[in-house]
Amino acid sequence: MPIINRIAEFHPEMTAWRRDFHEHPELGLEEVRTSGIIAEKLRNFGCDEVITGIAKTGVVGVIRGRVDNGRAIGLRADIDALPIVEETGLPYASKIPGKMHACGHDGHTTMLLGAAKYLAETRNFDGTVYVIFQPAEENLAGGELMVKEGLFTRFPMERVFGMHNWPGAPEGTFLWREGPVMAAVANLEVNITGKGAHGAMPHNGTDPIVVAAAIVQALQSIVARNVEPVEAGVITIGHITGGHTFNVIPETVRMLGTARWFAPEIGDLLERRFKETVTGIATAMGATATAEFARAYPATINEVESVHLAAKAARAVQGEARVLPMQKPTMGGEDFAFMLNAKPGAYLMLGGGRGPDDAQVHHPRYDFNDNILPVGASYWATLAEQLLPRG
């Protein structure tokens, strides 16, 4: 069974939806226009119920099959954009300054809408399909908010499934993996206080920039020398602010960064050594420092049975040769992890066919590949029909 013919028929329509979302990006928990369009389309498709306002701007559509057998599954897409200035130059580029769909959530939303239209039209399944449009995946943990607001009690389901476009994989291929697929995430903040002085007279002060430099260097030794080599961990400092001019030693320096891991014990190790390293070096150099290790997302871990069910549906759409094991997890983070912590399920990657020199996700020149819209929508529809078969 290749791409579903009926879904292929409204590929141009789906492309228009996607590009409209791309032109009008909205950040997490601000997706008022986006969620309004989603809800309107779901109603027009004939969904049995459309529930709005979950996690502020989340939407859930309820599609009932031909027989109510008490079974149900959930299909989830994220809907938010990123605070990035778009540089694609496309005719449908973002019209909102400083915001763009740089991660492909516009495509994720569109693929699930395409599946919803098909499923509401055909009803070729028994049970219930919940289509979940989740806000605020980027940094604000909208997945956690939806779970806390009763997503799985209000909409009881056996399993929940997510999917992300993966630009570097061949166009239309699916990648699957048992166990960890994306990393746990912590946000790091360091504030160093020294003593300001004239840049020509450093002996009169305590230079927090020098302290910051020593801390950045030492933090790299945590993964290199404290984490067992067969385990995975990352500590990255991505932002440093301190000082205002050539010849003045500032009083303070602020640093921001991220930590990533899979195994819980590695996360605990990174947190402990991060705090010890920051405060210890600052003290040794005559400064003071605070070190915040704020855990954001847990690791995204596929439940074994669910990921094989998902891969089976993907093979029905694209064939055995185009559904591939994902050899390594990625250190990127994903708040679908909160849903997988609460309910069995799986998260697949859908190849976008971008080369290594093309813009990847979170880049100002990234754009979702519209060719894969019917592939993703067909996968969602096939998954629903396979897991909730008639009779």
Side-chain angles (χ1 to χ4, degrees):
M1 178 183 178
I3 292 171
I4 295 169
N5 288 337
R6 178 66 182 123
I7 290 176
E9 288 175 7
F10 49 79
H11 187 188
E13 187 178 5
M14 294 170 66
T15 300
W17 302 342
R18 205 282 297 182
R19 295 183 179 186
D20 178 69
F21 289 133
H22 192 89
E23 283 188 82
H24 301 91
E26 296 174 299
L27 302 183
L29 304 181
E30 299 174 1
E31 310 97 324
V32 175
R33 180 186 186 275
T34 303
S35 62
I37 291 171
I38 292 167
E40 179 183 16
K41 289 189 182 302
L42 294 177
R43 294 186 186 102
N44 290 340
F45 297 160
C47 288
D48 299 282
E49 296 178 59
V50 178
I51 298 89
T52 61
I54 304 172
K56 192 175 180 180
T57 47
V59 181
V60 176
V62 181
I63 308 171
R64 298 190 178 92
R66 301 195 184 189
V67 174
D68 182 5
N69 59 8
R71 300 187 61 206
I73 62 166
L75 311 176
R76 170 270 197 183
D78 38 17
I79 69 174
D80 58 321
L82 281 157
I84 293 176
V85 177
E86 181 159 354
E87 298 177 1
T88 63
L90 293 165
Y92 52 85
S94 171
K95 294 181 177 178
I96 313 299
K99 302 176 185 180
M100 75 169 287
H101 272 291
C103 200
H105 297 184
D106 48 351
H108 301 170
T109 299
T110 299
M111 290 187 290
L112 189 54
L113 281 173
K117 179 175 181 176
Y118 169 83
L119 291 168
E121 181 181 283
T122 59
R123 311 276 175 162
N124 190 32
F125 63 94
D126 290 346
T128 302
V129 176
Y130 299 113
V131 287
I132 304 163
F133 295 87
Q134 180 219 295
E137 188 278 327
E138 302 287 357
N139 302 316
L140 296 177
E144 181 181 30
L145 292 174
M146 291 192 94
V147 172
K148 286 183 175 179
E149 292 187 17
L151 176 68
F152 296 127
T153 52
R154 294 177 65 180
F155 310 101
M157 61 191 76
E158 299 168 10
R159 303 175 192 271
V160 64
F161 296 88
M163 176 172 56
H164 203 290
N165 77 99
W166 205 239
E171 181 180 303
T173 58
F174 286 91
L175 305 179
W176 62 274
R177 192 175 196 279
E178 295 179 3
V181 63
M182 300 189 82
V185 179
N187 297 322
L188 312 180
E189 181 172 348
V190 175
N191 288 284
I192 303 165
T193 303
K195 181 181 178 183
H198 193 294
M201 305 172 189
H203 59 287
N204 291 331
T206 301
D207 192 339
I209 291 180
V210 174
V211 176
I215 289 172
V216 170
Q217 291 275 48
L219 288 177
Q220 303 314 303
S221 71
I222 296 175
V223 173
R225 286 296 177 263
N226 297 148
V227 174
E228 186 179 358
V230 296
E231 297 289 350
V234 171
I235 292 181
T236 294
I237 297 298
H239 173 88
I240 301 178
T241 303
H244 301 284
T245 191
F246 301 99
N247 60 348
V248 177
I249 293 172
E251 194 85 7
T252 61
V253 168
R254 180 173 183 251
M255 303 194 296
L256 302 175
T258 188
R260 307 291 170 106
W261 67 93
F262 296 111
E265 61 272 18
I266 300 300
D268 294 340
L269 170 65
L270 295 181
E271 179 173 10
R272 175 173 57 81
R273 293 296 292 129
F274 167 72
K275 292 178 177 178
E276 291 172 348
T277 300
V278 169
T279 57
I281 288 176
T283 300
M285 299 181 74
T288 60
T290 60
E292 182 179 354
F293 190 99
R295 297 183 187 231
Y297 297 170
T300 305
I301 300 175
N302 282 336
E303 190 259 338
V304 173
E305 184 179 0
S306 295
V307 79
H308 285 285
L309 292 170
K312 178 183 176 183
R315 291 187 193 100
V317 175
Q318 289 295 77
E320 186 82 28
R322 295 178 63 77
V323 180
L324 309 170
M326 186 176 181
Q327 297 300 323
K328 297 182 291 186
T330 171
M331 300 307 287
E334 167 60 65
D335 75 345
F336 187 62
F338 291 104
M339 294 189 185
L340 291 182
N341 280 357
K343 189 68 58 174
Y347 192 74
L348 296 191
M349 304 297 190
L350 173 56
R354 305 299 192 200
D357 296 328
D358 295 327
Q360 305 293 304
V361 293
H362 288 227
H363 191 283
R365 291 194 297 276
Y366 172 74
D367 185 38
F368 184 89
N369 183 355
D370 289 324
N371 290 341
I372 66 174
L373 289 172
V375 179
S378 295
Y379 161 71
W380 283 135
T382 301
L383 182 63
E385 291 176 350
Q386 286 187 352
L387 267 59
L388 301 172
R390 292 189 62 193

